[in-house]
Amino acid sequence: MIVESPLAAAATSDSHDTVDQRPDARRDQPSVLRGYWTLAVLSLFTVSASISAGQVPLLTDQIRADLGLDDLQMSLILGPGPMLAMCLMLIPAGFLVDRFSAKRVLAIAAFAWSSLGAAFGVVQSVWSLIAVRMAVTAAEAPLLPAATVMLRDAFPAEKRGMPFSIFWAAQAAGASVSLIVGGALLAAANEGAFQDWPVLSAFRPWQLVLGLPAVCGLPIALLMLTVKEPARQTGQDQVGDEASTRQFLGFLKSNAGLYWPSFAYCLLWSIQFYGVTNWQPTAMARGYGISTADLAIVVGAFGVPASIAGLLVGGWIIDLLGRRGIGDGAAKLCLAVSVCGALLQICTYHVGNPTLIYACIVGTTFVIGTINSSYYVAVAFITPQRMMGRMMSLQFLSLYVCAAFAPVCVALLSQTAFAQQGDMSLVYAIRAVLWTCSAGYLAFLVLWTIRVGRFCRLNPNGAS
């Protein structure tokens, strides 16, 4: 039987007492307008972050040529450096989100990563590029834990499907928009459009593509201050740090059977997703003769409407299941859509025809928002409010710890096991990762869905 630990139950009781004593608790109840304004700002936030982060895979060949790198050295820029920085910051970020105002933590983080993005314009070596990438990624660490906590607080359990779907689809749309923005900036820079501009004329094309989108995120840091958070246990209203840590660890111990399959799922999903995504433009160019510019235009143009369609369908289904009282509906939907997503990703590297490749990539974009939103709606349903920041940090830590090495694994497979395949070596390496990891993460997702269903039967209203 999966139950909340006595420590966690006591913490929940104490937190209710604390909230009742707050003078603004009655005024601070979630409202529809406030909730959707929070969603709008957070979605804009994640689009900006995705555009900034999504430029590096597009620039792989230019950076390699400019800095004289091979694929393995380039994989250090794509994976270990930035992802390890993210992993180191996630646990402190989760603590800060639980302890203080999530919106203020997020606003400070946004200002930091946008400001640091300007440093891309002055990097001159592989190590300076890795250092800047690590700094920017570390500053982005509070984004996802803070955003999921704020969305959980802003909407009731039966109405979280559409908000979560919109947020995650916004991130997927940002990845698609990054191809359009990056492709346009790269083309303009290569044609000398910035050669007469002060300061910018001294930068290489790939430095401009990396730096300009990051700096443009600065106004969003101020916009975050317009968001009003629902009542939460923050600042002086929270119990001591040591007690909160013990309560969280006690909850994890008592519910280990519920959470460990989800962590295992994240680990394997991240290997195939980040390992493949970071090398996708290069693999398409080498293996199928699809230029980076064509990939950016086609996938970027069709990826945005596909993300919007996916979020509308996925969010509607999650909320429909919630209104019917199916507490584990989000987990079941995540499993069903994940099967579709795995098949689409595998087909991308087997069909061979460029038109079918584009269709598979756009189809993956369609389902990715639903996968993310349904998964985190389910996690929010089974996790107590006071522990959401740290729980989401652990979830994302599981996601990123393997993502740090996924591009390196793909590069090593390409240069060793499939070296004899020539230009197709990278494609063969991606195929091997996709088949192996997809089978593993789907098995863990089946187990987790079963256990979420058991939790929902015992706790039909979810964790408090």
Side-chain angles (χ1 to χ4, degrees):
M1 179 182 296
I2 301 169
V3 296
E4 184 172 313
S5 71
L7 285 172
T12 304
S13 175
D14 291 343
S15 66
H16 286 315
D17 293 341
T18 302
V19 172
D20 290 341
Q21 294 169 8
R22 289 177 58 184
D24 62 340
R26 291 185 302 274
R27 300 195 308 269
D28 226 11
Q29 299 302 313
S31 69
V32 174
L33 183 60
R34 184 186 304 168
Y36 278 97
W37 175 246
T38 300
L39 172 62
V41 174
L42 290 174
S43 296
L44 185 60
F45 228 73
T46 193
V47 166
S48 177
S50 297
I51 290 174
S52 177
Q55 306 298 336
V56 177
L58 187 67
L59 304 168
T60 296
D61 284 337
Q62 278 217 359
I63 295 173
R64 285 176 65 254
D66 215 354
L67 300 181
L69 310 177
D70 59 26
D71 282 350
L72 191 57
Q73 291 173 314
M74 188 64 209
S75 71
L76 296 177
I77 298 172
L78 293 170
M83 287 298 103
L84 287 176
M86 175 74 77
C87 292
L88 289 174
M89 285 301 298
L90 272 172
I91 297 303
F95 169 78
L96 291 173
V97 169
D98 279 343
R99 176 74 175 172
F100 302 106
S101 165
K103 76 168 186 180
R104 291 175 183 171
V105 171
L106 200 47
I108 293 170
F111 182 83
W113 64 255
S114 295
S115 301
L116 288 167
F120 280 121
V122 297
V123 296
Q124 298 294 329
S125 67
V126 60
W127 297 113
S128 59
L129 179 56
I130 290 174
V132 174
R133 280 269 287 163
M134 290 179 68
V136 172
T137 307
E140 290 176 1
L143 171 58
L144 294 180
T148 49
V149 167
M150 292 173 69
L151 290 175
R152 184 194 192 277
D153 292 342
F155 296 93
E158 69 276 8
K159 295 182 179 180
R160 290 177 187 149
M162 188 60 75
F164 271 68
S165 289
I166 291 174
F167 174 78
W168 286 105
Q171 187 179 61
S176 297
V177 172
S178 72
L179 294 175
I180 299 175
V181 173
L185 279 175
L186 185 60
N190 285 333
E191 292 172 3
F194 301 99
Q195 63 183 3
D196 297 325
W197 290 41
V199 182
L200 297 183
S201 60
F203 298 157
R204 300 167 183 172
W206 59 266
Q207 291 175 319
L208 286 169
V209 176
L210 289 176
L212 283 179
V215 174
C216 290
L218 283 171
I220 305 176
L222 298 176
L223 192 60
M224 179 55 61
L225 299 179
T226 66
V227 172
K228 184 173 177 60
E229 292 181 89
R232 294 180 64 241
Q233 293 71 53
T234 58
Q236 299 300 319
D237 299 310
Q238 181 98 323
V239 294
D241 300 348
E242 185 179 356
S244 295
T245 301
R246 287 200 301 267
Q247 291 161 0
F248 179 66
L249 294 177
F251 174 79
L252 277 179
K253 182 178 180 181
S254 296
N255 295 278
L258 177 61
Y259 283 103
W260 78 258
S262 72
F263 296 142
Y265 157 71
C266 288
L267 287 169
L268 288 175
W269 189 90
S270 70
I271 294 175
Q272 61 87 27
F273 181 79
Y274 290 100
V276 171
T277 301
N278 280 294
W279 285 113
Q280 183 167 278
T282 305
M284 290 294 132
R286 294 181 188 175
Y288 301 106
I290 298 174
S291 72
T292 301
D294 289 342
L295 184 69
I297 293 171
V298 175
V299 177
F302 289 97
V304 174
S307 295
I308 294 173
L311 76 90
L312 292 175
V313 174
W316 177 77
I317 294 174
I318 295 169
D319 286 344
L320 178 63
L321 294 172
R323 287 193 296 270
R324 293 183 177 181
I326 306 176
D328 60 340
K332 291 177 179 176
L333 178 62
C334 179
L335 175 59
V337 181
S338 293
V339 172
C340 296
L343 292 175
L344 283 168
Q345 282 191 302
I346 290 171
C347 287
T348 300
Y349 292 90
H350 285 79
V351 292
N353 181 279
T355 301
L356 293 178
I357 289 173
Y358 291 142
C360 289
I361 294 174
V362 172
T364 303
T365 304
F366 175 86
V367 302
I368 201 72
T370 301
I371 292 173
N372 286 328
S373 60
S374 55
Y375 177 75
Y376 292 113
V377 165
V379 173
F381 190 81
I382 64 177
T383 304
Q385 181 195 42
R386 288 187 63 231
M387 302 178 183
M388 269 294 291
R390 281 160 288 188
M391 179 57 69
M392 297 313 298
S393 290
L394 283 181
Q395 292 285 337
F396 294 123
L397 179 62
S398 301
L399 196 66
Y400 293 135
V401 70
C402 282
F405 302 99
V408 178
C409 292
V410 173
L412 283 173
L413 279 174
S414 174
Q415 293 185 4
T416 55
F418 301 107
Q420 71 277 11
Q421 300 298 329
D423 288 340
M424 287 291 290
S425 61
L426 197 56
V427 173
Y428 275 85
I430 288 174
R431 288 176 181 176
V433 170
L434 281 174
W435 278 103
T436 305
C437 292
S438 296
Y441 81 68
L442 288 175
F444 285 118
L445 193 55
V446 168
L447 178 60
W448 183 68
T449 302
I450 293 171
R451 293 186 174 179
V452 169
R454 187 188 308 167
F455 174 91
C456 292
R457 288 191 294 272
L458 296 172
N459 306 272
N461 295 321
S464 56

